[in-house]
Amino acid sequence: MTEGRAVFPVEPWSLTEVGLDHASLGVHESVFALANGHLGMRGSLEEGEPVVVPGTYLNGFFEERPLPYAEAGYGFPEMGQTVVNVTDGKLIRLLVKDSPLDLNYGEVIDHRRTLDLRAGVLRRSTEWRSPSGRTVRVTSTRLVSLARRSIAAIEYQVEVTDDLGDLYVALQSDLLANDDGAPSDDGDPRAAAALARPLECELAAGRGRRAVLVHRTKRSRLRMAAGMDHVIQIPDTCTEDIEAAGDLARYTLAARIPPGGSLKLVKFLAYGWSSRRSGAALRDQVEAALATAKLAGFERLLREQRELLDQHWEEADVEIEGDDELQQAVRVGMFHVLQAGLRGERQAIPAKGLTGPGYDGHTFWDTETYVLPVLTYTAPQAARDALVWRHTTLALARERARVLGLRGAAFPWRTIRGEETSGYWPAGTAAFHINADIADAVVRYHDATLDEAFDRDYGAELLVETGRLWASLGHFDPEHGFRIDGVTGPDEYTAVVDNNVYTNLMAQRNLREAAAAVRRQPEVAARLSVTEEEVEVWLRAASLMAVPYDTQRGVHMQSDGFTHHEEWDFAATPPEKYPLLLHYPYFEIYRTQVVKQADLVMALHLRGDAFTLEEKIADFAYYEARTTRDSSLSATQQAVVAAETGHLQLAYEYWAEAALTDLQNLHSNSGHGLHIASLAGGWTVAVAGFGGLRDHGGQLAFAPRLPQRISRLRFRVVYRGRKLTVTVTRDRAVYRLVDGDPLDIRHHGRQVRIDHDDVVLDVPPPPQVEPVRQPPGLGPRRRSRG
């Protein structure tokens, strides 16, 4: 096999790498990562080499580090949090006679890996000739269980493919902590902070084929345990050994394999962590999980995985006719979104999921605004768990608000456990919109599920405390109504501004929904000491919310005075100077009309009920010409609004950018981990863009239209216990309930009742609009497969 770029055939239900591409190894480790929301393993090779980042991660498990400041200031967070690359259990090193299997050496005759989206496993097959001339085929199947939160397993088989006689091999199956593998420091602030040997060993035990290591972090004092056990099938006699001490536990198997024979090892892994439990208790927990997984056996784990995914795809699949590459990308993205959140169970969903150390493993507003809408309509229990996690951090958010001199709760811009860990004030603390984003996700989940227990125990309190924040952060002005000054909206290229439209409109909804929650849950309101006077202030603030508008240009201002700033000189900005934040001072960026990512345009989507169609058309055109999309979050929102405003081809092109962000490494940093929010955009553009799904005021509405390239689109949503299928062709939309009671929806503004028979409705033509333009050289990105 020749070295070079790997080939990815277009397949509807899998992603296959044919060949080994060293230049893209880090990206492929991210793309082939397996996770379940609690445990994540990057797609590094079992033999450990070649590797870029070998990461294994536990959701919520981190180390603290001091945040350095050139000048200290009141309210600056003092400690940062960084996800820890925990004990690596993927390692199964192979010695072929006297040569370690390493794809950097010898001859790679054939190599391929497949991420199977239906089975939920990573399969690998490698035929390799050692420097001494012996040839073996290694096959493996790797699984991180979606059904068993703490369990992973690897089936690893070695076959002799030459006829040179008996072959002696040795397998070393490891648990390895404090692996030195780390992403290179390339100066990208989106990369992770380096941690030097963050784990201290507390306990190591091994017997038979089982071993457990228990470690603890030095600063955060979190404790984790990793365990392994093995089942083997051998053609002849073998020798076995187990050792466990410090940072390494190793099971060694040596065997003789005759020509045409094979050896198979199944490695079961279990992980757990706690801030309170003892090392002995964690060891016992992991050993018990190993015992039940081993008793079930590898084939049972495979069946459980397939059954769970069969049900998921039945409720969540998106079918696309007309672009096979996009079909594959959307399903890959949805699979990774499910992996990021399904078994988080009251932990956060990080921006990179559990696929890499990018952004230090932090959670941002991406979760509530991009990921939870997908999960709300496809896996609502996972959305509920993520929102319950936010509620568990409410005490920290209240304390943060108190430090800032505010009422209610101020949720962190970036965090792992709930404390604010952003060291840059303008893009961190000032980005208060995260509080309204959380409230928006709470409202959407409640409207879509009518989960009264969630509303009573968690949701109403989140809405009240975020509502209180806005009431204390803003102020009434006799001339301009209710103002919210000194904040940063989603566009981090325009920081610390007055009356950011997105922030104000999302806060407006937050205030109204807080008042509605008080009416629904009077006992919660009484416990929180909410008064009638306080609710009146919320409603008055919402009714008088400032929404800046430029009458001369006929567009909304992203924030006060934005349309009067100097224009950015895009023509003089060379392509290699993007993203701007890595090449220009923030001072120069902040005072010009340049937009990092959809900001006001996102308000056109999420608060579309606050704009007329004519306003949306004008606003979209204005901001399209000034948006660089230096953030992977942008293409999704631009696609949704482009579709609504009649730019169907542009929406289609942005759809591909969002869905292919990591498969094509469009932002040159997918090796740090996947862009989970952008991958969620594959679903969002299909369903909210070309399906036109909106949920304003708890009313489910659709306005489907297709771009020219797509001949048919079908998607599913779960809503109030019902399963709804929507099929869109060029001029028809077909709605059908798979199960549940009849459901009232709106189709292009028309009220319609859907039941178990097909309801066929016409699709009206899109609005006729003038073409829009992007800044020079910044049109939608999609690399040719040629």
Side-chain angles (χ1 to χ4, degrees):
M1 172 177 285
T2 58
E3 279 293 311
R5 293 184 62 85
V7 177
F8 284 89
V10 175
E11 302 161 323
W13 284 103
S14 60
L15 181 70
T16 298
E17 169 195 54
V18 180
L20 184 68
D21 184 356
H22 282 81
S24 299
L25 195 60
V27 175
H28 296 173
E29 289 170 358
S30 298
V31 169
F32 287 119
L34 294 178
N36 63 11
H38 169 67
L39 167 66
M41 294 180 165
R42 282 174 62 83
S44 50
L45 297 168
E46 284 87 3
E47 297 80 23
E49 297 290 344
V51 66
V52 177
V53 181
T56 300
Y57 309 103
L58 292 172
N59 195 348
F61 192 84
F62 67 94
E63 179 59 308
E64 293 179 334
R65 55 186 175 83
L67 287 175
Y69 295 101
E71 296 183 17
Y74 176 80
F76 285 14
E78 297 180 359
M79 299 298 293
Q81 299 169 352
T82 298
V83 65
V84 172
N85 176 20
V86 300
T87 307
D88 189 355
K90 302 185 298 294
L91 294 170
I92 304 175
R93 304 185 192 277
L94 171 64
L95 191 75
V96 178
K97 194 175 178 182
D98 57 356
S99 301
L101 193 154
D102 184 336
L103 301 191
N104 286 319
Y105 304 100
E107 179 188 356
V108 179
I109 300 169
D110 182 70
H111 174 74
R112 63 188 63 219
R113 291 189 291 174
T114 298
L115 182 66
D116 187 325
L117 306 177
R118 285 189 180 274
V121 299
L122 177 63
R123 295 193 178 93
R124 171 265 186 108
S125 174
T126 302
E127 188 166 11
W128 179 76
R129 182 173 291 114
S130 73
S132 63
R134 296 308 304 262
T135 304
V136 295
R137 178 181 293 109
V138 172
T139 57
S140 69
T141 301
R142 184 185 303 175
L143 170 149
V144 173
S145 177
L146 296 169
R148 302 173 186 238
R149 187 170 185 256
S150 62
I151 296 298
I154 303 170
E155 183 183 73
Y156 189 90
Q157 183 166 328
V158 183
E159 302 173 75
V160 178
T161 55
D162 61 34
D163 57 0
L164 301 179
D166 293 347
L167 178 64
Y168 287 85
V169 300
L171 291 178
Q172 295 174 323
S173 176
D174 291 354
L175 294 174
L176 177 63
N178 288 315
D179 193 329
D180 292 331
S184 60
D185 183 6
D186 54 10
D188 190 334
R190 300 166 295 189
L195 295 176
R197 301 185 65 81
L199 297 173
E200 295 179 328
C201 183
E202 289 192 333
L203 187 154
R207 66 182 183 277
R209 296 171 182 165
R210 178 182 298 179
V212 177
L213 296 180
V214 178
H215 283 78
R216 193 169 185 178
T217 55
K218 299 172 185 178
R219 287 181 178 270
S220 62
R221 308 307 289 168
L222 302 180
R223 184 178 282 114
M224 60 84 51
M228 64 177 179
D229 204 346
H230 304 83
V231 172
I232 61 172
Q233 294 179 16
I234 55 174
D236 204 338
T237 59
C238 70
T239 63
E240 301 177 76
D241 186 48
I242 190 81
E243 58 181 306
D247 290 342
L248 175 67
R250 172 170 290 168
Y251 167 71
T252 302
L253 171 69
R256 177 173 60 87
I257 308 177
S262 66
L263 175 156
K264 181 186 293 185
L265 176 143
V266 177
K267 183 176 187 177
F268 297 96
L269 293 160
Y271 286 83
W273 74 269
S274 175
S275 60
R276 298 182 297 272
R277 304 190 73 198
S278 68
L282 273 180
R283 176 201 61 200
D284 294 346
Q285 172 187 327
V286 162
E287 287 192 338
L290 277 174
T292 57
K294 186 177 179 181
L295 178 64
F298 191 69
E299 292 302 319
R300 173 66 178 269
L301 297 182
L302 291 176
R303 288 198 303 274
E304 292 175 350
Q305 194 88 335
R306 178 62 186 248
E307 289 167 2
L308 187 150
L309 284 168
D310 281 348
Q311 180 179 350
H312 172 69
W313 290 118
E314 183 181 330
E315 297 174 352
D317 188 28
V318 171
E319 300 174 48
I320 303 164
E321 292 184 6
D323 190 329
D324 293 342
E325 183 183 42
L326 186 56
Q327 172 72 88
Q328 180 188 50
V330 168
R331 283 183 174 143
V332 168
M334 292 179 66
F335 178 74
H336 280 296
V337 169
L338 182 73
Q339 289 198 126
L342 183 64
R343 300 306 303 272
E345 297 183 9
R346 304 192 180 189
Q347 289 293 337
I349 299 177
K352 298 291 185 180
L354 298 174
T355 68
Y359 289 119
D360 287 315
H362 289 168
T363 293
F364 299 77
W365 65 295
D366 309 15
T367 296
E368 282 78 17
T369 302
Y370 288 81
V371 179
L372 293 197
V374 180
L375 294 177
T376 294
Y377 293 116
T378 61
Q381 183 60 45
R384 187 186 203 272
D385 283 344
L387 291 171
V388 171
W389 170 77
R390 283 292 190 188
H391 186 271
T392 66
T393 69
L394 193 51
L396 293 170
R398 286 185 176 118
E399 174 59 20
R400 181 65 174 160
R402 188 195 64 77
V403 168
L404 299 175
L406 300 169
R407 295 193 66 214
F411 284 94
W413 176 243
R414 59 187 300 170
T415 190
I416 293 178
R417 186 169 57 187
E419 300 91 343
E420 178 61 80
T421 62
S422 173
Y424 186 59
W425 185 278
T429 297
F432 284 101
H433 68 83
I434 187 172
N435 299 281
D437 299 328
I438 292 168
D440 183 60
V442 167
V443 172
R444 178 176 295 106
Y445 171 79
H446 180 251
D447 285 343
T449 63
L450 301 181
D451 185 343
E452 197 278 334
F454 169 84
D455 188 45
R456 179 192 65 238
D457 298 337
Y458 310 107
E461 188 170 12
L462 286 168
L463 292 172
V464 166
E465 295 295 39
T466 49
R468 281 173 164 166
L469 175 83
W470 298 115
S472 64
L473 182 63
H475 70 281
F476 291 98
D477 177 77
E479 185 177 353
H480 298 105
F482 189 78
R483 299 176 57 89
I484 303 176
D485 296 334
V487 301
T488 299
D491 173 25
E492 295 165 19
Y493 285 175
T494 312
V496 193
V497 299
D498 298 340
N499 293 316
N500 171 258
V501 168
Y502 175 84
T503 301
N504 283 20
L505 288 178
M506 294 297 282
Q508 180 186 62
R509 172 179 286 171
N510 192 166
L511 289 162
R512 288 172 175 164
E513 293 292 346
V518 166
R519 291 192 292 269
R520 285 195 310 271
Q521 302 290 347
E523 292 184 4
V524 175
R527 176 169 58 83
L528 298 175
S529 302
V530 180
T531 65
E532 286 293 335
E533 292 75 19
E534 187 175 16
V535 174
E536 288 176 7
V537 169
W538 298 347
L539 294 175
R540 180 166 171 255
S543 66
L544 295 175
M545 189 66 68
V547 182
Y549 187 78
D550 186 332
T551 55
Q552 181 179 353
R553 294 169 177 80
V555 296
H556 287 89
M557 299 183 190
Q558 183 172 283
S559 55
D560 279 354
F562 179 86
T563 54
H564 302 294
H565 290 179
E566 183 180 3
E567 297 279 3
W568 182 270
D569 190 352
F570 289 106
T573 306
E576 64 272 15
K577 293 296 185 180
Y578 294 96
L580 300 181
L581 79 160
L582 299 184
H583 300 96
Y584 295 93
Y586 272 120
F587 168 74
E588 186 175 352
I589 296 172
Y590 285 169
R591 62 197 187 97
T592 54
Q593 289 191 61
V594 58
V595 180
K596 180 182 180 184
Q597 65 202 61
D599 185 309
L600 188 136
V601 167
M602 187 158 62
L604 302 180
H605 171 202
L606 297 181
R607 282 304 319 274
D609 53 335
F611 301 87
T612 66
L613 178 60
E614 292 72 23
E615 288 172 336
K616 292 177 184 179
I617 291 170
D619 287 347
F620 179 72
Y622 187 86
Y623 289 95
E624 183 72 3
R626 293 160 176 82
T627 301
T628 65
R629 296 193 326 288
D630 280 350
S631 167
S632 63
L633 299 178
S634 197
T636 293
Q637 300 296 342
Q638 288 174 267
V640 171
V641 178
E644 184 178 3
T645 55
H647 303 283
L648 295 177
Q649 176 61 26
L650 179 62
Y652 165 71
E653 292 169 359
Y654 279 143
W655 188 16
E657 179 177 322
L660 291 163
T661 286
D662 291 310
L663 293 183
Q664 297 188 352
N665 195 19
L666 296 179
H667 289 263
S668 302
N669 65 348
S670 294
H672 301 159
L674 300 178
H675 300 78
I676 299 299
S678 185
L679 296 182
W683 182 94
T684 300
V685 180
V687 177
F690 297 114
L693 182 149
R694 297 294 185 272
D695 48 20
H696 305 310
Q699 169 71 64
L700 194 63
F702 298 91
R705 290 190 182 97
L706 293 186
Q708 189 63 36
R709 174 77 181 269
I710 305 303
S711 58
R712 178 178 173 272
L713 173 70
R714 173 178 286 177
F715 57 85
R716 294 112 167 121
V717 295
V718 178
Y719 188 76
R720 297 183 179 177
R722 303 165 174 90
K723 298 176 185 177
L724 175 66
T725 298
V726 182
T727 305
V728 188
T729 57
R730 196 81 63 215
D731 54 4
R732 297 284 187 274
V734 181
Y735 300 90
R736 185 170 189 173
L737 273 182
V738 177
D739 58 32
D741 296 330
L743 175 67
D744 290 328
I745 68 164
R746 298 188 74 84
H747 168 83
H748 285 283
R750 172 186 169 188
Q751 191 78 20
V752 181
R753 170 153 289 200
I754 309 299
D755 57 22
H756 299 283
D757 296 323
D758 288 351
V759 177
V760 183
L761 301 169
D762 291 339
V763 171
Q768 296 300 303
V769 291
E770 295 294 323
V772 295
R773 61 182 178 88
Q774 296 78 42
L778 296 181
R781 305 164 190 164
R782 179 176 183 173
R783 294 176 183 164
S784 169
R785 293 183 59 85

